[in-house]
Amino acid sequence: MFKTYILILQRDLTLALRHKTEVLTTIFFFIIVISLFPLGVGIDKELLQKIAPGVAWIAALLASMLALERLFSSDYEDGTLEQMLLSPQPLFVIVLAKVSAHWLLTGLPLVLISPLVGLQYHLDFDRVIMMMLALLIGTPILSLLGAIGAALTLGLRGGGVLISLLLLPLYIPVLIYGAGVVVDSALFNNNTETYLSLLMGFLILSLVLSPWATAAALRIASE
Amino acid sequence: MRINWFKYAAPANFYPIAGALAPWFIALAGVLAIIGLYWGFFQTPDILTDQKQYYRIIFVHVASAWMGMWLYAMLVLWALIGIIFNTRLSYMFAAAIAPTGAMFTFLSLWTGAFWGEPSWGTWWDWDPRMTSMLILLFLYIGYMALQSAIDDPRRSDKASSVLAMVGLVMVPVIYWSVNCPNPAECAALHQSSSMEQIDPNIRNAMFIMVASFWIYSFGVIMLRIRNIILEREKQTRWVQELKECQ
């Protein structure tokens, strides 16, 4: 089972790294969105510091969602997904491997690039660290929940817009606590642990339930 | 005697009984609405003084908010029954409930805005209850969007049922996170139920409105299920032999 996980993960990473533009598009999308906000709302330093966590998280939600369409669609089109469904390996593990690959390709780069938000929005070092930590815990949740949406809309017309309609309401708790921890760390500097524990709990919940729901959705999609 | 529990699970058996029941439900809902609104608007004491007559929107507002939430639970229940027993009619129930639930949720937001303008001086505030109703509306819309995006009814039924169940798992998490954006201050934000503090006169009028909306939902959902049955089973013989389809 572990071997299956590693194999699928390696395969997905190899495939993605042969099309580097797809990975880079997501990162640049994130950078462009966070750069546009100051142009839209004005360059007042205090205002920027205030909105920075929210903007970073919303940009991360959108960037992670943009890449979701690719999660299953190419495998679905060339029939690989059908072989995966037929294989004796548990679908749960296969889904988990694909989601992990998705996170390594979209979530992790966003975490690493997020100090850029700190520079552009004049955040101090503590808050940048806190934001990176929150993104590190939060982005896997986005990938896990996103997989359900990607599986449900597999092969549909206008799937991309539909995914956002299905998923954005479900992303709300991550947004609230992910952005909240950065804001709060600046205000009181004490109860950040509570936020991070809540995000962690949410991560565990989605880790257990999401691959299962995704597997069910994939079976429905390829009936 | 053996009871056939699944007799009315067959669309062919359910279609006529739904048609027979729907007018009664709708008529009863209309009568109850007239009683409830008359009682609420003219027979309740002016406890809040004459300047604050706008409180009377509560008779529509609370009932529609409750129905909006309750119908989502019912939608998920039917989706779950559909997944377990694989009965076509259960999926049709779920699909038929969604528009009514979304309508009531929207109505509660709309009436809430009308109440908020004179009393708070604003149409909208990011109060936890309002925000969670707004998110509930989004969940309904997501469900209906997925349902209508898939052409094959079997796949659309199952896929949207999975979505509804994911939504139900998420609802407590979303509700909680909206209620306590700052976990340290959560206790202060908690609103306790105010049902017991209400004048019994007002409360009774409100409950009559809830009953009216509830029965209205039954009637409308029956009618909508009839449409869905006709649409999906139009190639079957019993539909082609129906009087109204000749």
Side-chain angles (χ1 to χ4, degrees), chain B residues 3-242:
Chain B
I3 304 171
N4 183 2
W5 292 103
F6 290 100
K7 178 163 189 252
Y8 290 105
N13 292 334
F14 187 76
Y15 181 83
I17 195 171
L21 286 175
W24 290 100
F25 279 131
I26 289 181
L28 187 59
V31 171
L32 282 174
I34 290 166
I35 297 172
L37 287 178
Y38 177 75
W39 192 351
F41 284 175
F42 302 109
Q43 299 299 315
T44 46
D46 288 338
I47 47 161
L48 296 172
T49 73
D50 283 340
Q51 284 93 36
K52 296 194 174 173
Q53 290 295 340
Y54 59 76
Y55 95 88
R56 295 186 192 280
I57 206 158
I58 197 175
F59 298 110
V60 178
H61 178 67
V62 171
S64 54
W66 282 3
M67 287 319 295
M69 291 187 277
W70 173 246
L71 286 176
Y72 191 78
M74 284 300 100
L75 189 158
V76 177
L77 181 74
W78 282 114
L80 196 66
I81 293 176
I83 292 272
I84 294 171
F85 294 106
N86 206 13
T87 41
R88 282 168 296 162
L89 195 65
S90 323
Y91 290 126
M92 293 179 194
F93 259 96
I97 287 171
T100 308
M103 189 272 284
F104 276 127
T105 310
F106 178 75
L107 190 63
S108 79
L109 288 170
W110 192 248
T111 52
F114 272 126
W115 184 83
E117 212 282 323
S119 68
W120 299 342
T122 173
W123 296 97
W124 181 262
D125 190 30
W126 291 97
D127 163 86
R129 285 192 181 183
M130 298 163 74
T131 315
S132 35
M133 281 312 274
L134 185 67
I135 294 165
L136 183 66
L137 182 65
F138 292 158
L139 290 178
Y140 273 120
I141 289 172
Y143 176 89
M144 289 192 287
L146 184 65
Q147 180 102 41
S148 59
I150 308 177
D151 293 330
D152 172 26
R154 283 189 43 179
R155 187 185 160 192
S156 93
D157 282 341
K158 285 186 182 167
S160 49
S161 300
V162 169
L163 181 70
M165 279 186 274
V166 172
L168 192 73
V169 173
M170 294 293 297
V171 159
V173 182
I174 296 175
Y175 185 77
W176 204 77
S177 68
V178 167
N179 263 285
C180 320
N182 181 353
E185 288 170 11
C186 188
L189 261 169
H190 182 77
Q191 295 164 307
S192 56
S193 166
S194 49
M195 280 314 288
E196 282 144 29
Q197 300 157 20
I198 295 181
D199 186 280
N201 219 357
I202 297 176
R203 196 182 54 207
N204 292 344
M206 216 164 73
F207 280 152
I208 290 176
M209 285 310 291
V210 173
S212 160
F213 280 7
W214 201 338
I215 293 168
Y216 163 82
S217 311
F218 270 105
V220 163
I221 288 166
M222 297 277 174
L223 289 179
R224 200 173 286 124
I225 287 180
R226 273 165 66 91
N227 283 341
I228 296 175
I229 290 177
L230 286 185
E231 211 175 305
R232 291 197 183 169
E233 313 254 310
K234 57 178 176 250
Q235 73 287 1
T236 57
R237 180 175 288 175
W238 73 267
V239 170
Q240 279 156 9
E241 283 170 0
L242 279 176

Side-chain angles (χ1 to χ4, degrees), chain A residues 51-114:
Chain A
I51 63 169
V55 168
W57 267 101
I58 289 176
L61 298 188
L62 296 176
S64 150
M65 211 169 49
L66 267 187
L68 275 175
E69 257 186 294
R70 294 198 305 270
L71 186 55
F72 297 114
S73 61
S74 60
D75 285 347
Y76 178 69
E77 276 156 18
D78 65 13
T80 319
L81 190 70
E82 215 157 312
Q83 298 302 319
M84 285 174 178
L85 291 176
L86 290 172
S87 80
Q89 310 301 334
L91 197 51
F92 188 96
V93 175
I94 296 175
V95 167
L96 202 58
K98 290 190 77 70
V99 173
S100 313
H102 177 262
W103 179 72
L104 286 174
L105 293 165
T106 60
L108 195 57
L110 293 186
V111 177
L112 297 177
I113 203 89
S114 62

